[in-house]
Structure formats: structure tokens, C-alpha cells
Amino acid sequence: MMAGIIDGKAVASEIRTKIKKDVEQLRSKGIVPGLAAVLVGDNPASQVYVRNKRKACEEAGIYSEEHKLPADLKQEELVKLVNDLNKDKKINGILIQLPLPKHIDSKMILECVSPDKDVDGFHPYNVGRLTVGDPIFSPCTPHGVIVLLEHYGIKMDGMNAVVVGRSNIVGKPVALMLINRNATVTVCHSRTKDLNERCREADILIVATGRPRMIRGDMVKEGAVVVDVGINREDNGGLVGDVDFEEVSKRAGWITPVPGGVGPMTIAILLKNTVESAKRAAGLI
Ligand code: NAP
């Protein structure tokens, strides 16, 4: 049996259509949500991400600005820019595109972002709120994973969920979100013993390692839901996930493809967070 395909592209497009309508309504009340993206240096992947985010904002009617800064920028100059954006009334969301150059203390910069404009959900205040089960902004990619599962009616309550990867951007927050939805969660990483066995216990397997096709067919329980967060560029220019789609799709019940699975959800949630931030700033929620 071939697994059902979780179509992230379609779900993201539905969300974006809804956001566009929301923004039209807000604009009719004189409220224009605004997102500022900060890009330091010339990492080609980061440039593509920022460009796509800006295009998505334009399409949704969200005001957006891009701050492109040289790689040798001084840390205090970046702090000043973030502080200015924190005060800027046009801006409801501030996105610091990662990775930042090595000479800049990323943790410190993320803490400079006002928690009220932290649409990426990376500020320790928002991480803490997610941890206590009362999130305001939650990180876009893991939240996108949860929205996809909910959209397909996949039950999380009481299920064994295994997360492979423990990054602050994906693995840890998605594990918290699953705990908050009553899943029993195991988090695996590079020091995990018996990774194959742990994975085979999963009713829901979420993979975010950045290791192309590392999850093979024999690591997956028959009928499991498999969500592949990985985006890896191959030598021929194509994209592959962290899951061996060909093998795993023969065993899983549901699976996300790469591309067209989790990827498109990230931007959709970013737009959603920005619009919610604008509504909160206007006292509407
Ligand atoms: P990361 O910060 O590099 O973290 C990778 C995690 O995987 C680490 O916790 C690492 O363990 C674990 N890991 C690595 N090799 C492993 C192995 N052989 N067995 C078990 N665990 C292993 O990566 P990330 O930022 O979370 O991103 C993960 C993937 O998702 C990447 O492909 C990235 O491109 C993709 N991604 C996609 C989106 C999107 O869809 N929009 C957004 C973000 C990331 P240790 O902690 O022990 O080192």
C-alpha cells in the first residue's frame, strides 16, 4: 500500500488565501500588517528565503521591508537596527534571517527582538510560553508541521511521537507542541542509541536532521505518519528530504513529500503570525 500524501503546498495555499482576506478586512479599518526581514551577509539560501518571504507578503497585502546588511557589520549596528524596528509602528513582525555571521552573537540578537514582534517565536520569552503550554508566537516550521497534522485529521492525543533532531528551530519546539497535544514524545539526536528501534515505535515520526534520506523503510512502522522537515540540496540541484521517500512511502500511512510538504507551510505560518501580531497591536485580539 502506498502512503497518503500530505500536500503541504495545497494547505499552505489555502491558509494564504484566508490571510489575504483577513488583511483586506484589516486594511479597510486602516490597519496594515508589516514585516521587516533582516539579512546579514550574502548566504545564497538565505537570500532566496528572504526574497520568497517578501513576495509572499506582497501577495497577501502585508507591508514588508528588507534590511540587507554587509557580512562585516558590527554587532552594535545590528542591535541598533533591531531596536529601531522594535519601536517602528509600521512593523508588527521582525525576522532575523539565520544563520548570522560568526562574529555576531545570534542568541543576543534574537533576545533584542521585542517579544511582541517575534513572529519567528525564537525569543526566550516565547520559547518559555510554548514550554508552559500557553504560546503566543510559536516557531513557523514546527507550527506548520502541527497545522498539517491537524488539517489531515491525524490524531496526536495518546500517540507515540518520535522526533529525530533537537534543534531550537525545529526538533525541540515540535516536541513541545506534540507534548502540549498529549502525544507521548521521544526526542532522538546524534547520540541516541538504537535510533532504528526508537523510530519503529513511532505512530508519528517527525524528522529534522539535515541528513539526506537517512530514514529508511525498515525504520518505520507499518501505517505510521511520517513528516519530513529536511531540505537538502543534491549535486544535481534537486531537493531531497531526510526521509527516503521511495522506501518509506511503501510502509507509511501518511507521508510529506520534499518539496511540497513542510516547506511551504513555514511562510504561511510566518504570514499568519504577522497578521495576528498586527491584530494584537491594534487591540483586536
Ligand atoms: P540542525 O540545527 O543541524 O539540527 C539537526 C539535528 O539532527 C541535531 O539535533 C542533530 O543531533 C540531529 N542529527 C544529525 N544527524 C543525526 C543522526 N545521524 N541521527 C540522529 N540525529 C541526528 O538542523 P535544523 O535547523 O533542525 O534543520 C533540520 C533540517 O530541516 C535541515 O535539512 C533543514 O534544511 C530543514 N529545515 C527546513 C525548514 C522548512 O521546511 N522551512 C526550516 C528549518 C529547517 P545533535 O543535536 O546531537 O547534533
Side-chain angles (χ1 to χ4, degrees), residues 49 141 164-167 169-171 188-191 195 208-211 214 229-232 242 262-263 266:
Y49 291 142
T141 302
V164 189
R166 56 171 163 179
S167 70
I169 296 176
V170 188
C188 301
H189 45 77
S190 67
R191 308 289 183 91
L195 179 70
T209 62
R211 302 272 178 266
M214 72 165 280
V229 184
I231 301 180
N232 308 290
D242 297 346
V262 176
T266 301

mmCIF file of all heavy atoms in Angstrom, residues 49 141 164-167 169-171 188-191 195 208-211 214 229-232 242 262-263 266, ligand 1:
data_model
loop_
_atom_site.group_PDB
_atom_site.id
_atom_site.type_symbol
_atom_site.label_atom_id
_atom_site.label_comp_id
_atom_site.label_asym_id
_atom_site.label_seq_id
_atom_site.Cartn_x
_atom_site.Cartn_y
_atom_site.Cartn_z
ATOM 1 N N TYR A 49 15.340 32.650 0.679
ATOM 2 C CA TYR A 49 14.277 32.611 1.694
ATOM 3 C C TYR A 49 13.683 33.993 1.899
ATOM 4 O O TYR A 49 12.460 34.161 1.915
ATOM 5 C CB TYR A 49 14.820 32.099 3.040
ATOM 6 C CG TYR A 49 15.199 30.637 3.042
ATOM 7 C CD1 TYR A 49 16.316 30.191 3.732
ATOM 8 C CD2 TYR A 49 14.422 29.700 2.369
ATOM 9 C CE1 TYR A 49 16.676 28.846 3.739
ATOM 10 C CE2 TYR A 49 14.776 28.362 2.371
ATOM 11 C CZ TYR A 49 15.899 27.939 3.056
ATOM 12 O OH TYR A 49 16.241 26.611 3.052
ATOM 13 N N THR A 141 8.165 26.758 11.328
ATOM 14 C CA THR A 141 8.253 25.425 10.706
ATOM 15 C C THR A 141 7.585 24.354 11.587
ATOM 16 O O THR A 141 6.728 23.612 11.100
ATOM 17 C CB THR A 141 9.721 25.072 10.376
ATOM 18 O OG1 THR A 141 10.226 26.083 9.502
ATOM 19 C CG2 THR A 141 9.836 23.716 9.724
ATOM 20 N N VAL A 164 13.123 13.165 15.411
ATOM 21 C CA VAL A 164 14.558 12.954 15.200
ATOM 22 C C VAL A 164 15.163 14.324 14.890
ATOM 23 O O VAL A 164 14.842 14.928 13.868
ATOM 24 C CB VAL A 164 14.838 11.947 14.067
ATOM 25 C CG1 VAL A 164 16.323 11.589 14.041
ATOM 26 C CG2 VAL A 164 14.005 10.687 14.238
ATOM 27 N N GLY A 165 16.012 14.816 15.802
ATOM 28 C CA GLY A 165 16.573 16.174 15.720
ATOM 29 C C GLY A 165 16.114 16.969 16.932
ATOM 30 O O GLY A 165 14.963 16.824 17.360
ATOM 31 N N ARG A 166 17.032 17.764 17.503
ATOM 32 C CA ARG A 166 16.684 18.518 18.715
ATOM 33 C C ARG A 166 17.107 19.984 18.606
ATOM 34 O O ARG A 166 17.507 20.608 19.574
ATOM 35 C CB ARG A 166 17.364 17.894 19.932
ATOM 36 C CG ARG A 166 18.865 17.794 19.785
ATOM 37 C CD ARG A 166 19.552 17.385 21.059
ATOM 38 N NE ARG A 166 20.905 16.926 20.772
ATOM 39 C CZ ARG A 166 21.764 16.515 21.692
ATOM 40 N NH1 ARG A 166 21.420 16.508 22.952
ATOM 41 N NH2 ARG A 166 22.968 16.119 21.357
ATOM 42 N N SER A 167 17.044 20.532 17.368
ATOM 43 C CA SER A 167 17.449 21.929 17.211
ATOM 44 C C SER A 167 16.406 22.843 17.856
ATOM 45 O O SER A 167 15.247 22.461 18.045
ATOM 46 C CB SER A 167 17.585 22.291 15.731
ATOM 47 O OG SER A 167 16.316 22.325 15.121
ATOM 48 N N ILE A 169 15.235 25.327 16.444
ATOM 49 C CA ILE A 169 14.362 25.835 15.382
ATOM 50 C C ILE A 169 13.259 24.850 15.043
ATOM 51 O O ILE A 169 12.137 25.226 14.733
ATOM 52 C CB ILE A 169 15.219 26.150 14.127
ATOM 53 C CG1 ILE A 169 16.209 27.279 14.466
ATOM 54 C CG2 ILE A 169 14.378 26.500 12.929
ATOM 55 C CD1 ILE A 169 17.162 27.621 13.354
ATOM 56 N N VAL A 170 13.574 23.558 15.075
ATOM 57 C CA VAL A 170 12.587 22.546 14.664
ATOM 58 C C VAL A 170 12.343 21.482 15.744
ATOM 59 O O VAL A 170 11.242 21.364 16.284
ATOM 60 C CB VAL A 170 12.981 21.851 13.339
ATOM 61 C CG1 VAL A 170 11.817 20.969 12.871
ATOM 62 C CG2 VAL A 170 13.355 22.830 12.247
ATOM 63 N N GLY A 171 13.362 20.675 16.036
ATOM 64 C CA GLY A 171 13.154 19.476 16.852
ATOM 65 C C GLY A 171 12.541 19.759 18.212
ATOM 66 O O GLY A 171 11.498 19.188 18.569
ATOM 67 N N CYS A 188 15.032 12.131 19.603
ATOM 68 C CA CYS A 188 16.298 11.471 19.257
ATOM 69 C C CYS A 188 17.265 12.487 18.654
ATOM 70 O O CYS A 188 16.847 13.497 18.102
ATOM 71 C CB CYS A 188 16.047 10.371 18.233
ATOM 72 S SG CYS A 188 14.916 9.111 18.817
ATOM 73 N N HIS A 189 18.545 12.188 18.751
ATOM 74 C CA HIS A 189 19.579 13.077 18.204
ATOM 75 C C HIS A 189 20.807 12.254 17.882
ATOM 76 O O HIS A 189 20.753 11.008 17.905
ATOM 77 C CB HIS A 189 19.865 14.214 19.193
ATOM 78 C CG HIS A 189 20.003 13.741 20.597
ATOM 79 N ND1 HIS A 189 21.135 13.124 21.036
ATOM 80 C CD2 HIS A 189 19.113 13.741 21.624
ATOM 81 C CE1 HIS A 189 20.952 12.787 22.302
ATOM 82 N NE2 HIS A 189 19.731 13.133 22.681
ATOM 83 N N SER A 190 21.927 12.915 17.631
ATOM 84 C CA SER A 190 23.098 12.176 17.131
ATOM 85 C C SER A 190 23.683 11.225 18.175
ATOM 86 O O SER A 190 24.460 10.344 17.831
ATOM 87 C CB SER A 190 24.162 13.150 16.635
ATOM 88 O OG SER A 190 24.691 13.886 17.712
ATOM 89 N N ARG A 191 23.365 11.382 19.447
ATOM 90 C CA ARG A 191 23.899 10.482 20.485
ATOM 91 C C ARG A 191 22.922 9.370 20.861
ATOM 92 O O ARG A 191 23.184 8.597 21.774
ATOM 93 C CB ARG A 191 24.229 11.267 21.759
ATOM 94 C CG ARG A 191 25.095 12.475 21.564
ATOM 95 C CD ARG A 191 26.536 12.059 21.220
ATOM 96 N NE ARG A 191 27.375 13.247 21.115
ATOM 97 C CZ ARG A 191 28.048 13.775 22.131
ATOM 98 N NH1 ARG A 191 28.006 13.218 23.309
ATOM 99 N NH2 ARG A 191 28.766 14.863 21.966
ATOM 100 N N LEU A 195 18.638 4.117 17.334
ATOM 101 C CA LEU A 195 17.740 5.041 16.622
ATOM 102 C C LEU A 195 16.682 4.273 15.831
ATOM 103 O O LEU A 195 15.504 4.630 15.849
ATOM 104 C CB LEU A 195 18.554 5.943 15.686
ATOM 105 C CG LEU A 195 17.723 6.926 14.875
ATOM 106 C CD1 LEU A 195 17.136 8.027 15.756
ATOM 107 C CD2 LEU A 195 18.545 7.557 13.756
ATOM 108 N N ALA A 208 13.946 15.901 11.414
ATOM 109 C CA ALA A 208 14.600 17.185 11.097
ATOM 110 C C ALA A 208 16.065 17.073 11.474
ATOM 111 O O ALA A 208 16.493 17.498 12.541
ATOM 112 C CB ALA A 208 13.935 18.323 11.863
ATOM 113 N N THR A 209 16.842 16.472 10.574
ATOM 114 C CA THR A 209 18.265 16.244 10.859
ATOM 115 C C THR A 209 19.193 16.918 9.856
ATOM 116 O O THR A 209 20.365 17.131 10.157
ATOM 117 C CB THR A 209 18.601 14.732 10.838
ATOM 118 O OG1 THR A 209 18.329 14.234 9.532
ATOM 119 C CG2 THR A 209 17.814 13.968 11.871
ATOM 120 N N GLY A 210 18.709 17.176 8.642
ATOM 121 C CA GLY A 210 19.609 17.675 7.603
ATOM 122 C C GLY A 210 20.518 16.587 7.057
ATOM 123 O O GLY A 210 21.566 16.892 6.489
ATOM 124 N N ARG A 211 20.109 15.313 7.204
ATOM 125 C CA ARG A 211 20.878 14.171 6.655
ATOM 126 C C ARG A 211 20.034 13.526 5.556
ATOM 127 O O ARG A 211 19.045 12.838 5.863
ATOM 128 C CB ARG A 211 21.154 13.127 7.737
ATOM 129 C CG ARG A 211 21.900 13.634 8.924
ATOM 130 C CD ARG A 211 23.411 13.527 8.689
ATOM 131 N NE ARG A 211 24.135 14.063 9.828
ATOM 132 C CZ ARG A 211 24.578 15.323 9.925
ATOM 133 N NH1 ARG A 211 24.368 16.179 8.945
ATOM 134 N NH2 ARG A 211 25.234 15.730 10.993
ATOM 135 N N MET A 214 18.127 9.739 5.426
ATOM 136 C CA MET A 214 18.645 8.870 6.497
ATOM 137 C C MET A 214 17.598 7.914 7.059
ATOM 138 O O MET A 214 17.935 6.881 7.631
ATOM 139 C CB MET A 214 19.292 9.680 7.618
ATOM 140 C CG MET A 214 18.330 10.438 8.480
ATOM 141 S SD MET A 214 19.095 11.017 10.005
ATOM 142 C CE MET A 214 19.057 9.554 10.995
ATOM 143 N N VAL A 229 10.980 17.101 7.581
ATOM 144 C CA VAL A 229 11.239 18.549 7.602
ATOM 145 C C VAL A 229 12.491 18.887 6.778
ATOM 146 O O VAL A 229 12.711 20.011 6.387
ATOM 147 C CB VAL A 229 11.392 19.047 9.063
ATOM 148 C CG1 VAL A 229 11.573 20.553 9.114
ATOM 149 C CG2 VAL A 229 10.180 18.645 9.905
ATOM 150 N N GLY A 230 13.290 17.887 6.497
ATOM 151 C CA GLY A 230 14.585 18.117 5.844
ATOM 152 C C GLY A 230 14.481 18.742 4.469
ATOM 153 O O GLY A 230 13.567 18.442 3.693
ATOM 154 N N ILE A 231 15.413 19.641 4.207
ATOM 155 C CA ILE A 231 15.555 20.203 2.857
ATOM 156 C C ILE A 231 17.041 20.116 2.533
ATOM 157 O O ILE A 231 17.847 20.822 3.130
ATOM 158 C CB ILE A 231 15.115 21.685 2.791
ATOM 159 C CG1 ILE A 231 13.659 21.860 3.226
ATOM 160 C CG2 ILE A 231 15.329 22.240 1.382
ATOM 161 C CD1 ILE A 231 13.181 23.309 3.188
ATOM 162 N N ASN A 232 17.413 19.212 1.648
ATOM 163 C CA ASN A 232 18.826 19.041 1.308
ATOM 164 C C ASN A 232 18.993 19.199 -0.191
ATOM 165 O O ASN A 232 18.225 18.639 -0.969
ATOM 166 C CB ASN A 232 19.301 17.640 1.732
ATOM 167 C CG ASN A 232 18.976 17.349 3.191
ATOM 168 O OD1 ASN A 232 19.556 17.928 4.088
ATOM 169 N ND2 ASN A 232 18.009 16.455 3.423
ATOM 170 N N ASP A 242 15.021 14.298 4.538
ATOM 171 C CA ASP A 242 15.804 13.438 5.437
ATOM 172 C C ASP A 242 15.243 12.020 5.439
ATOM 173 O O ASP A 242 15.758 11.141 6.118
ATOM 174 C CB ASP A 242 15.755 13.996 6.870
ATOM 175 C CG ASP A 242 16.388 15.376 6.974
ATOM 176 O OD1 ASP A 242 17.095 15.776 6.029
ATOM 177 O OD2 ASP A 242 16.177 16.058 7.997
ATOM 178 N N VAL A 262 6.398 20.079 4.172
ATOM 179 C CA VAL A 262 6.508 21.053 5.264
ATOM 180 C C VAL A 262 6.979 22.418 4.742
ATOM 181 O O VAL A 262 6.537 23.460 5.232
ATOM 182 C CB VAL A 262 7.492 20.539 6.344
ATOM 183 C CG1 VAL A 262 7.691 21.576 7.429
ATOM 184 C CG2 VAL A 262 6.987 19.229 6.940
ATOM 185 N N GLY A 263 7.871 22.390 3.745
ATOM 186 C CA GLY A 263 8.499 23.629 3.242
ATOM 187 C C GLY A 263 7.534 24.793 3.073
ATOM 188 O O GLY A 263 7.712 25.842 3.699
ATOM 189 N N THR A 266 6.012 26.920 6.215
ATOM 190 C CA THR A 266 6.764 27.870 7.042
ATOM 191 C C THR A 266 6.341 29.317 6.741
ATOM 192 O O THR A 266 6.035 30.092 7.653
ATOM 193 C CB THR A 266 8.279 27.676 6.806
ATOM 194 O OG1 THR A 266 8.592 26.328 7.149
ATOM 195 C CG2 THR A 266 9.110 28.605 7.663
HETATM 196 P P1 NAP B 1 20.303 21.317 12.862
HETATM 197 O O1 NAP B 1 20.279 22.524 13.710
HETATM 198 O O2 NAP B 1 21.534 20.972 12.099
HETATM 199 O O3 NAP B 1 19.904 20.082 13.780
HETATM 200 C C1 NAP B 1 19.963 18.767 13.299
HETATM 201 C C2 NAP B 1 19.570 17.820 14.426
HETATM 202 O O4 NAP B 1 19.604 16.492 13.897
HETATM 203 C C3 NAP B 1 20.514 17.835 15.630
HETATM 204 O O5 NAP B 1 19.763 17.797 16.824
HETATM 205 C C4 NAP B 1 21.362 16.582 15.439
HETATM 206 O O6 NAP B 1 21.758 15.967 16.665
HETATM 207 C C5 NAP B 1 20.372 15.657 14.751
HETATM 208 N N1 NAP B 1 21.084 14.660 13.935
HETATM 209 C C6 NAP B 1 22.014 14.878 12.982
HETATM 210 N N2 NAP B 1 22.444 13.708 12.480
HETATM 211 C C7 NAP B 1 21.775 12.737 13.110
HETATM 212 C C8 NAP B 1 21.788 11.329 13.039
HETATM 213 N N3 NAP B 1 22.594 10.677 12.181
HETATM 214 N N4 NAP B 1 20.965 10.639 13.866
HETATM 215 C C9 NAP B 1 20.158 11.272 14.729
HETATM 216 N N5 NAP B 1 20.095 12.618 14.838
HETATM 217 C C10 NAP B 1 20.903 13.339 14.049
HETATM 218 O O7 NAP B 1 19.139 21.347 11.763
HETATM 219 P P2 NAP B 1 17.689 22.069 11.764
HETATM 220 O O8 NAP B 1 17.843 23.531 11.671
HETATM 221 O O9 NAP B 1 16.815 21.489 12.819
HETATM 222 O O10 NAP B 1 17.179 21.559 10.344
HETATM 223 C C11 NAP B 1 16.973 20.198 10.049
HETATM 224 C C12 NAP B 1 16.553 20.038 8.617
HETATM 225 O O11 NAP B 1 15.329 20.719 8.398
HETATM 226 C C13 NAP B 1 17.516 20.621 7.582
HETATM 227 O O12 NAP B 1 17.509 19.806 6.436
HETATM 228 C C14 NAP B 1 16.930 21.969 7.268
HETATM 229 O O13 NAP B 1 17.259 22.425 5.962
HETATM 230 C C15 NAP B 1 15.456 21.665 7.365
HETATM 231 N N6 NAP B 1 14.631 22.845 7.693
HETATM 232 C C16 NAP B 1 13.535 23.078 6.924
HETATM 233 C C17 NAP B 1 12.723 24.163 7.185
HETATM 234 C C18 NAP B 1 11.497 24.388 6.346
HETATM 235 O O14 NAP B 1 10.901 23.474 5.895
HETATM 236 N N7 NAP B 1 11.093 25.585 6.091
HETATM 237 C C19 NAP B 1 13.006 25.016 8.250
HETATM 238 C C20 NAP B 1 14.107 24.725 9.070
HETATM 239 C C21 NAP B 1 14.914 23.622 8.771
HETATM 240 P P3 NAP B 1 22.748 16.691 17.717
HETATM 241 O O15 NAP B 1 21.906 17.737 18.408
HETATM 242 O O16 NAP B 1 23.149 15.613 18.633
HETATM 243 O O17 NAP B 1 23.858 17.284 16.912
#
